């Protein structure tokens, strides 16, 4: 095999696509800043016990591992930035009030999440720490929607669920931890036959509710159906009430519910959502509440946030027109060099044609050129 062949599900990003991804990354960061989120840059690798403790345990199989040649300790390449940001909030910032943080950087996965997915997503996310109310949940939802709208991805649909619904039922199920994990897998795949077998030993109302969850999806009518069919456990009643409140505050988007939805990261403790765009095969963004994420770092704080893969988002977003550039001759004359520098200070892209390469392909589609007229360097249309 040739040395230049890349590993499976790893790819170079070439100029036009890289420009598109970078423009989207900037729009996402600008939108987060408009909401008051501070940018952090966690390291690409950490000691393994830090990455895989607490909520990070679910990432074990997705994490590349290596030995630190300085300390001899095991290290890991991050597969998700959320546990790192929780560590930053807990130990480095250590603020008592609300903290809003955002980030954007590559993560690495040992296996692709889907048949044609990359193993090197460019993860963008934003998180609020220190506020347990619905107001923070709604802020994260609206930020996610505004960020996606800024990237021009078309009509959006918000699909909502709540981890407390399944959690409350499993708490009353009498099942072992291993059996609960099997039930979660069956719910994720909506395997009704497996659920029927796994819940035979559950108390009747709980078993019936777990089996019925796979059919609780659709529009707002699902919430009323859930109130009628699910046991009136405190966690379930509160979850349904919160979902209805949040959905009622979302404007300009279609809202649906899938009360058995367990996709995404396993650390959610409350409201969770996935946002889809017309024509996209999978969710462009996922988020929700994960109040346990900082516990392992000794500082449990309410937390809610979302994340997305900028590379996936770029595939769904409209390609923006390339900003045309100015073509200029190469030369040592002070006046020419000053004219080029002045144009670049104004934000123009100026491409100097190097000697002997005047006939090469114009990658920037120059629509103007810098020419000398009456002793002055001026820009004219091509």
């Amino acid at each position: 095999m040739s040395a230049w062949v890349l590993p499976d599900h790893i790819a170079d990003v070439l100029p036009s696509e890289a420009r598109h991804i970078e423009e989207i990354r900037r729009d996402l960061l600008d939108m987060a800043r408009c909401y008051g989120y501070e940018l952090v840059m966690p390291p690409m690798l950490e000691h393994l016990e830090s990455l895989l403790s607490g909520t990070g345990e679910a990432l074990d199989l997705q994490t590349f591992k290596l030995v630190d040649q300085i300390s001899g300790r095991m290290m890991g390449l991050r597969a998700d930035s959320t546990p790192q940001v929780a560590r930053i909030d807990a130990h480095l910032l250590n603020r008592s009030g609300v903290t809003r943080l955002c980030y954007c950087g590559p993560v690495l996965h040992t296996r692709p999440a889907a048949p044609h997915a990359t193993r090197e997503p460019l993860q963008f996310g934003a998180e609020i720490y220190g506020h347990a109310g619905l107001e923070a949940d709604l802020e994260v939802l609206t930020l996610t929607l505004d960020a996606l709208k800024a990237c021009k991805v078309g009509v959006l649909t918000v699909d909502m669920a709540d981890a407390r619904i399944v959690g409350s039922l499993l708490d009353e199920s009498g099942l072992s931890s291993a059996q609960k994990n099997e039930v979660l897998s069956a719910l994720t795949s909506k395997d009704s036959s497996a659920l029927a077998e796994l819940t035979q030993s559950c108390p009747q109302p709980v078993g019936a509710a777990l089996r019925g969850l796979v059919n609780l999806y659709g529009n707002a009518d699902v919430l009323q159906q859930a109130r009628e069919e699910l046991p009136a456990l405190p966690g379930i009643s509160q979850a349904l009430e919160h979902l209805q409140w949040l959905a009622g505050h979302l404007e300009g988007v279609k809202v649906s519910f899938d009360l058995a939805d367990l996709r995404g990261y396993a650390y959610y403790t409350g409201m969770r959502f996935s946002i889809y765009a017309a024509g996209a095969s999978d969710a462009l963004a996922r988020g929700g509440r994960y109040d346990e994420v900082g516990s392992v770092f000794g500082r449990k704080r309410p937390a809610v946030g979302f994340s997305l893969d900028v590379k996936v988002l770029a595939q769904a977003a409209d390609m923006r027109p390339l900003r045309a550039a100015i073509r200029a001759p190469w030369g040592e004359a002070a006046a020419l060099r000053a004219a080029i520098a002045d144009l670049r200070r104004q934000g123009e892209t100026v491409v100097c044609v190097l000697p002997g390469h005047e006939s090469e392909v114009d990658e920037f589609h120059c629509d103007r050129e810098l020419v000398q007229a009456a002793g002055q360097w001026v820009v004219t249309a091509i």
Side-chain angles (χ1 to χ4, degrees):
M1 181 179 291
S2 300
W4 51 264
V5 174
L6 294 174
D8 291 343
H9 299 278
I10 299 291
D12 292 308
V13 181
L14 301 182
S16 61
E17 185 183 1
R19 173 179 62 83
H20 185 45
I21 290 172
E22 175 60 15
E23 288 171 344
I24 289 175
R25 185 190 71 86
R26 293 180 186 182
D27 284 346
L28 293 171
L29 289 172
D30 286 345
M31 184 60 68
R33 183 170 182 172
C34 287
Y35 272 72
Y37 287 70
E38 300 173 277
L39 179 64
V40 293
M41 297 180 180
M44 191 68 209
L45 74 168
E46 288 195 41
H47 293 130
L48 197 58
E49 58 267 29
S50 177
L51 284 177
L52 301 184
S53 297
T55 55
E57 289 180 3
L59 302 170
D60 186 19
L61 294 179
Q62 280 285 56
T63 302
F64 281 99
K65 304 171 180 70
L66 65 157
V67 177
D68 182 5
Q69 296 300 310
I70 295 178
S71 67
R73 296 174 64 181
M74 288 297 296
M75 302 186 77
L77 297 171
R78 67 179 178 218
D80 174 30
S81 295
T82 295
Q84 293 184 298
V85 179
R87 174 182 54 75
I88 289 173
D89 173 71
H91 281 293
L92 300 182
L93 297 178
N94 199 28
R95 297 171 181 171
S96 58
V98 170
T99 300
R100 293 177 171 90
L101 301 175
C102 66
Y103 56 87
C104 189
V107 296
L108 290 172
H109 295 164
T110 57
R111 297 176 180 272
H116 300 291
T118 177
R119 289 196 287 166
E120 189 187 15
L122 179 59
Q123 188 182 46
F124 170 83
E127 305 176 7
I128 300 178
Y129 293 89
H131 195 285
L134 286 171
E135 299 85 355
D137 294 4
L138 181 59
E139 180 177 303
V140 165
L141 265 168
T142 54
L143 168 57
T144 312
L145 289 168
D146 284 346
L148 293 175
K149 290 174 183 176
C151 297
K152 299 178 175 58
V153 292
V155 179
L156 298 174
T157 298
V158 181
D159 194 56
M160 303 181 70
D162 196 299
R164 289 171 293 185
I165 295 175
V166 175
S168 295
L169 291 173
L170 290 179
D171 287 344
E172 301 294 324
S173 67
L175 299 175
S176 67
S177 295
Q179 290 172 319
K180 289 178 181 178
N181 288 333
E182 292 183 45
V183 169
L184 292 175
S185 297
L187 285 171
T188 300
S189 59
K190 297 190 182 299
D191 189 339
S192 297
S193 59
L195 278 173
E197 182 177 347
L198 290 166
T199 57
Q200 286 180 354
S201 63
C202 296
Q204 198 281 328
V206 174
L210 286 169
R211 294 188 290 273
L213 276 181
V214 295
N215 298 314
L216 290 177
Y217 61 89
N219 60 23
D221 295 340
V222 167
L223 298 183
Q224 182 56 40
Q225 183 183 350
R227 291 187 179 96
E228 295 170 358
E229 296 182 6
L230 300 181
L233 299 172
I236 293 177
S237 300
Q238 187 179 58
L240 295 174
E241 179 184 340
H242 288 181
L243 289 174
Q244 185 166 8
W245 186 90
L246 289 167
H249 285 75
L250 298 180
E251 299 179 356
V253 294
K254 180 182 177 181
V255 180
S256 61
F257 302 88
D258 184 351
L259 302 189
D261 183 19
L262 299 169
R263 289 167 292 179
Y265 295 115
Y267 45 61
Y268 291 114
T269 59
M271 176 276 300
R272 53 189 295 155
F273 63 87
S274 303
I275 301 182
Y276 299 83
S281 59
D282 199 5
L284 296 182
R286 298 187 192 276
R289 179 162 287 280
Y290 31 83
D291 290 342
E292 300 291 334
V293 71
S295 298
V296 70
F297 303 113
R299 193 162 183 254
K300 180 180 175 180
R301 295 237 290 165
V304 58
F306 79 96
S307 66
L308 56 83
D309 181 358
V310 182
K311 292 179 180 178
V312 172
L313 178 56
Q315 294 173 2
D318 294 337
M319 183 72 77
R320 299 153 198 215
L322 180 66
R323 183 180 177 185
I326 299 170
R327 186 169 62 209
W330 187 92
E332 297 184 70
L336 171 60
R337 297 173 71 83
I340 293 172
D342 185 57
L343 288 169
R344 288 172 174 163
R345 279 193 295 269
Q346 296 173 38
E348 296 283 3
T349 298
V350 182
V351 181
C352 287
V353 179
L354 298 175
H357 294 265
E358 291 81 3
S359 62
E360 288 193 358
V361 174
D362 175 14
E363 297 92 344
F364 279 88
H365 308 298
C366 298
D367 65 348
R368 292 156 292 161
E369 62 180 341
L370 186 63
V371 299
Q372 194 171 33
Q376 300 291 322
W377 288 98
V378 295
V379 177
T380 63
I382 295 177

